[in-house]
Amino acid sequence: MTELLLPLAALPFPDIDPVLISIGPLAIHWYGLGYVVGILFAWWYSRRLASTPRLWAHHTPAMTPEHLDDFVVWAAVGVVAGGRIGYILFYDFARYIANPLDMLAIWEGGMSFHGGLLGVILAMILFARRRQINTWSLFDVVAAGVPVGLGLVRVTNFVNSELWGRPADVPWAFVFPNGGPEPRHPSQLYEASLEGIVLFLVLVWLVWGLKKLKTPGFIGGAFICGYGLSRIIVEFFRVPDPQLGYLLGGWLTMGMVLSLPMVLAGIWAMATAKQPAAR
């Protein structure tokens, strides 16, 4: 009976090569391109915010576009180094200790958003102190554009047929090439929608509608809280990493454990954000 239902219940998985361009030994993957485009968009968008005085308290931006030009390299290093180290520590420590050289094989995948976030936060703290910029304001302008990159990377996870969801009988389920015969939730697309489109639109409303850049820390807090909530929701539809499995009762995952403190920290940041006094 199940075999008869499969053709009706599942959508055909799109035949998209994970490698965009291959020139000799050099290969450009959609996954890597998603990171590059996401970083470039966040850089462009943050420059635009820093160039719009009416969005800021007392019409005085906390930084210049040139500051953000310098920071983009710091951000890229923080994302890549933090994301890789975070994945190694949080998700597959035993494997990488046994095979240390695999730690450098980023092209094979294996990046943690939570690790990347910690890497960027560290980069922002160091950069802000060096350039005498309000750290919370730097966090705000960077966070405002990050959801676009998150959405793109999640779409490339779908293209790569990785991080797929739990078995499902919904009309939009897919049979993933490496996910067994049963239709599954396209959890990567759920994440792309929540962490990418929805979260970005919420932040656009907070930045341009409610002018929340005037209260340093609010946009950054909204981003952290929004991502944490989105990730926790999607974890109910997503299969956890096989080397970890479920941590409790067949439902709790590492993604949930790492995201809950983000929700609490984001709420705290929004609740304590306040407009700086005029200079």
Side-chain angles (χ1 to χ4, degrees), residues 221-233:
F223 166 75
I224 293 177
C225 180
Y227 175 87
L229 289 174
S230 299
R231 181 65 180 270
I232 289 172
I233 292 171

Side-chain angles (χ1 to χ4, degrees), residues 197-249:
I197 299 172
V198 174
L199 184 53
F200 179 67
L201 292 177
V202 169
L203 296 181
V204 166
W205 173 62
L206 292 175
V207 169
W208 297 92
L210 300 185
K211 307 292 191 300
K212 285 298 184 176
L213 284 178
K214 296 177 183 287
T215 52
F218 194 96
I219 298 298
F223 166 75
I224 293 177
C225 180
Y227 175 87
L229 289 174
S230 299
R231 181 65 180 270
I232 289 172
I233 292 171
V234 174
E235 286 290 313
F236 284 102
F237 300 94
R238 172 177 164 177
V239 174
D241 292 73
Q243 68 274 13
L244 291 177
Y246 296 100
L247 304 182
L248 178 68

Side-chain angles (χ1 to χ4, degrees), residues 32-265:
L33 184 62
Y35 272 96
V36 172
V37 173
I39 290 172
L40 291 178
F41 176 83
W43 165 65
W44 170 82
Y45 189 59
S46 62
R47 290 185 94 258
R48 184 181 177 191
L49 297 181
S51 302
T52 310
R54 63 186 174 85
L55 297 177
W56 298 85
H58 318 298
H59 291 260
T60 305
M63 68 211 70
T64 66
E66 290 71 28
H67 283 135
L68 296 165
D69 291 343
D70 295 339
F71 178 68
V72 68
V73 176
W74 292 58
V77 173
V79 167
V80 175
R84 188 60 170 173
I85 293 172
Y87 183 82
I88 292 169
L89 294 178
F90 301 148
Y91 291 96
D92 212 353
F93 185 70
R95 172 199 164 187
Y96 289 105
I97 287 298
N99 304 279
L101 290 180
D102 287 354
M103 296 181 184
L104 303 177
I106 297 177
W107 56 88
E108 295 180 356
M111 297 285 283
S112 162
F113 169 81
H114 300 90
L117 176 64
L118 292 175
V120 172
I121 288 176
L122 177 60
M124 285 190 288
I125 292 173
L126 296 175
F127 184 85
R129 289 183 176 179
R130 183 171 182 177
R131 300 300 177 89
Q132 297 183 331
I133 298 171
N134 184 304
T135 304
W136 279 113
S137 291
L138 180 59
F139 193 11
D140 289 343
V141 297
V142 171
V146 167
V148 171
L150 291 179
L152 290 174
V153 170
R154 292 310 181 191
V155 171
T156 65
N157 289 145
F158 176 77
V159 170
N160 291 345
S161 185
E162 58 190 5
L163 307 181
W164 22 260
R166 306 182 191 189
D169 58 0
V170 295
W172 54 87
F174 287 86
V175 175
F176 289 89
N178 55 344
E182 65 267 83
R184 294 180 176 275
H185 284 288
S187 56
Q188 315 95 324
L189 302 183
Y190 298 171
E191 287 195 75
S193 299
L194 289 176
E195 302 167 9
I197 299 172
V198 174
L199 184 53
F200 179 67
L201 292 177
V202 169
L203 296 181
V204 166
W205 173 62
L206 292 175
V207 169
W208 297 92
L210 300 185
K211 307 292 191 300
K212 285 298 184 176
L213 284 178
K214 296 177 183 287
T215 52
F218 194 96
I219 298 298
F223 166 75
I224 293 177
C225 180
Y227 175 87
L229 289 174
S230 299
R231 181 65 180 270
I232 289 172
I233 292 171
V234 174
E235 286 290 313
F236 284 102
F237 300 94
R238 172 177 164 177
V239 174
D241 292 73
Q243 68 274 13
L244 291 177
Y246 296 100
L247 304 182
L248 178 68
W251 63 273
L252 184 67
T253 67
M254 178 61 77
M256 294 178 181
V257 171
L258 296 175
S259 296
L260 181 57
M262 294 180 64
V263 174
L264 299 177

